[in-house]
PDB file of all heavy atoms in Angstrom:
ATOM      1  N   VAL A  40      33.440  81.168  89.026  1.00 96.00           N
ATOM      2  CA  VAL A  40      34.216  80.918  87.799  1.00 96.00           C
ATOM      3  C   VAL A  40      33.540  81.712  86.607  1.00 96.00           C
ATOM      4  O   VAL A  40      32.351  81.517  86.384  1.00 96.00           O
ATOM      5  CB  VAL A  40      34.322  79.422  87.422  1.00 96.00           C
ATOM      6  CG1 VAL A  40      34.974  79.230  86.067  1.00 96.00           C
ATOM      7  CG2 VAL A  40      35.052  78.689  88.525  1.00 96.00           C
ATOM      8  N   ILE A  94      16.786  59.220  85.256  1.00 96.00           N
ATOM      9  CA  ILE A  94      15.724  60.221  85.068  1.00 96.00           C
ATOM     10  C   ILE A  94      15.805  60.768  83.696  1.00 96.00           C
ATOM     11  O   ILE A  94      14.700  60.769  83.001  1.00 96.00           O
ATOM     12  CB  ILE A  94      15.814  61.304  86.086  1.00 96.00           C
ATOM     13  CG1 ILE A  94      15.797  60.751  87.617  1.00 96.00           C
ATOM     14  CG2 ILE A  94      14.636  62.311  85.934  1.00 96.00           C
ATOM     15  CD1 ILE A  94      14.528  60.241  88.015  1.00 96.00           C
ATOM     16  N   ASP A 100      14.494  60.584  74.541  1.00 95.00           N
ATOM     17  CA  ASP A 100      14.201  60.373  73.165  1.00 95.00           C
ATOM     18  C   ASP A 100      13.191  61.379  72.564  1.00 95.00           C
ATOM     19  O   ASP A 100      13.059  61.597  71.307  1.00 95.00           O
ATOM     20  CB  ASP A 100      13.538  59.009  72.922  1.00 95.00           C
ATOM     21  CG  ASP A 100      14.596  57.857  73.050  1.00 95.00           C
ATOM     22  OD1 ASP A 100      15.899  58.205  72.964  1.00 95.00           O
ATOM     23  OD2 ASP A 100      14.299  56.678  73.161  1.00 95.00           O
ATOM     24  N   PRO A 140       2.640  83.267  78.839  1.00 96.00           N
ATOM     25  CA  PRO A 140       1.514  82.325  78.457  1.00 96.00           C
ATOM     26  C   PRO A 140       1.833  81.303  77.244  1.00 96.00           C
ATOM     27  O   PRO A 140       1.385  80.182  77.191  1.00 96.00           O
ATOM     28  CB  PRO A 140       0.345  83.155  78.131  1.00 96.00           C
ATOM     29  CG  PRO A 140       0.939  84.484  77.903  1.00 96.00           C
ATOM     30  CD  PRO A 140       2.139  84.593  78.786  1.00 96.00           C
ATOM     31  N   TRP A 149       1.719  69.627  75.899  1.00 96.00           N
ATOM     32  CA  TRP A 149       2.570  68.388  75.779  1.00 96.00           C
ATOM     33  C   TRP A 149       2.445  67.475  76.970  1.00 96.00           C
ATOM     34  O   TRP A 149       2.412  66.246  76.901  1.00 96.00           O
ATOM     35  CB  TRP A 149       3.986  68.817  75.608  1.00 96.00           C
ATOM     36  CG  TRP A 149       4.881  67.663  75.038  1.00 96.00           C
ATOM     37  CD1 TRP A 149       4.493  66.507  74.502  1.00 96.00           C
ATOM     38  CD2 TRP A 149       6.293  67.776  74.851  1.00 96.00           C
ATOM     39  NE1 TRP A 149       5.539  65.780  74.026  1.00 96.00           N
ATOM     40  CE2 TRP A 149       6.588  66.490  74.264  1.00 96.00           C
ATOM     41  CE3 TRP A 149       7.310  68.662  75.182  1.00 96.00           C
ATOM     42  CZ2 TRP A 149       7.927  66.227  73.998  1.00 96.00           C
ATOM     43  CZ3 TRP A 149       8.583  68.374  74.862  1.00 96.00           C
ATOM     44  CH2 TRP A 149       8.948  67.102  74.281  1.00 96.00           C
ATOM     45  N   LEU A 181      12.758  81.412  99.596  1.00 78.00           N
ATOM     46  CA  LEU A 181      12.789  79.915  99.475  1.00 78.00           C
ATOM     47  C   LEU A 181      11.619  79.198 100.256  1.00 78.00           C
ATOM     48  O   LEU A 181      11.113  78.254  99.757  1.00 78.00           O
ATOM     49  CB  LEU A 181      14.110  79.497 100.039  1.00 78.00           C
ATOM     50  CG  LEU A 181      14.452  77.995  99.765  1.00 78.00           C
ATOM     51  CD1 LEU A 181      14.363  77.652  98.242  1.00 78.00           C
ATOM     52  CD2 LEU A 181      15.871  77.671 100.322  1.00 78.00           C
ATOM     53  N   ASP A 221      10.124  56.016  90.550  1.00 95.00           N
ATOM     54  CA  ASP A 221       8.886  55.938  91.430  1.00 95.00           C
ATOM     55  C   ASP A 221       8.055  57.090  91.227  1.00 95.00           C
ATOM     56  O   ASP A 221       8.372  58.073  90.522  1.00 95.00           O
ATOM     57  CB  ASP A 221       9.454  55.799  92.879  1.00 95.00           C
ATOM     58  CG  ASP A 221      10.206  56.933  93.450  1.00 95.00           C
ATOM     59  OD1 ASP A 221       9.832  58.087  93.045  1.00 95.00           O
ATOM     60  OD2 ASP A 221      11.058  56.793  94.260  1.00 95.00           O
ATOM     61  N   ARG A 263      18.337  95.937  61.330  1.00 92.00           N
ATOM     62  CA  ARG A 263      19.556  95.579  60.487  1.00 92.00           C
ATOM     63  C   ARG A 263      19.821  94.114  60.529  1.00 92.00           C
ATOM     64  O   ARG A 263      20.775  93.695  59.947  1.00 92.00           O
ATOM     65  CB  ARG A 263      20.790  96.425  60.966  1.00 92.00           C
ATOM     66  CG  ARG A 263      21.190  96.118  62.345  1.00 92.00           C
ATOM     67  CD  ARG A 263      22.563  96.951  62.639  1.00 92.00           C
ATOM     68  NE  ARG A 263      23.095  96.825  63.962  1.00 92.00           N
ATOM     69  CZ  ARG A 263      23.784  95.877  64.319  1.00 92.00           C
ATOM     70  NH1 ARG A 263      24.216  94.882  63.589  1.00 92.00           N
ATOM     71  NH2 ARG A 263      24.228  95.794  65.638  1.00 92.00           N
ATOM     72  N   ALA A 313      30.788  83.947  81.299  1.00 96.00           N
ATOM     73  CA  ALA A 313      31.736  83.085  80.434  1.00 96.00           C
ATOM     74  C   ALA A 313      31.403  83.294  78.946  1.00 96.00           C
ATOM     75  O   ALA A 313      32.322  83.272  78.102  1.00 96.00           O
ATOM     76  CB  ALA A 313      31.577  81.581  80.797  1.00 96.00           C
ATOM     77  N   PRO A 317      36.373  87.763  76.990  1.00 95.00           N
ATOM     78  CA  PRO A 317      37.085  88.549  75.872  1.00 95.00           C
ATOM     79  C   PRO A 317      38.230  87.726  75.418  1.00 95.00           C
ATOM     80  O   PRO A 317      38.737  87.961  74.266  1.00 95.00           O
ATOM     81  CB  PRO A 317      37.665  89.778  76.548  1.00 95.00           C
ATOM     82  CG  PRO A 317      37.649  89.414  78.083  1.00 95.00           C
ATOM     83  CD  PRO A 317      36.553  88.507  78.326  1.00 95.00           C
ATOM     84  N   GLY A 384      15.853  88.020  83.323  1.00 95.00           N
ATOM     85  CA  GLY A 384      14.907  88.489  82.247  1.00 95.00           C
ATOM     86  C   GLY A 384      14.004  89.484  82.791  1.00 95.00           C
ATOM     87  O   GLY A 384      14.141  89.897  83.951  1.00 95.00           O
TER      88      GLY A 384
END
Side-chain angles (χ1 to χ4, degrees):
V40 174
I94 303 290
D100 290 346
W149 199 10
L181 191 55
D221 64 38
R263 63 178 177 85

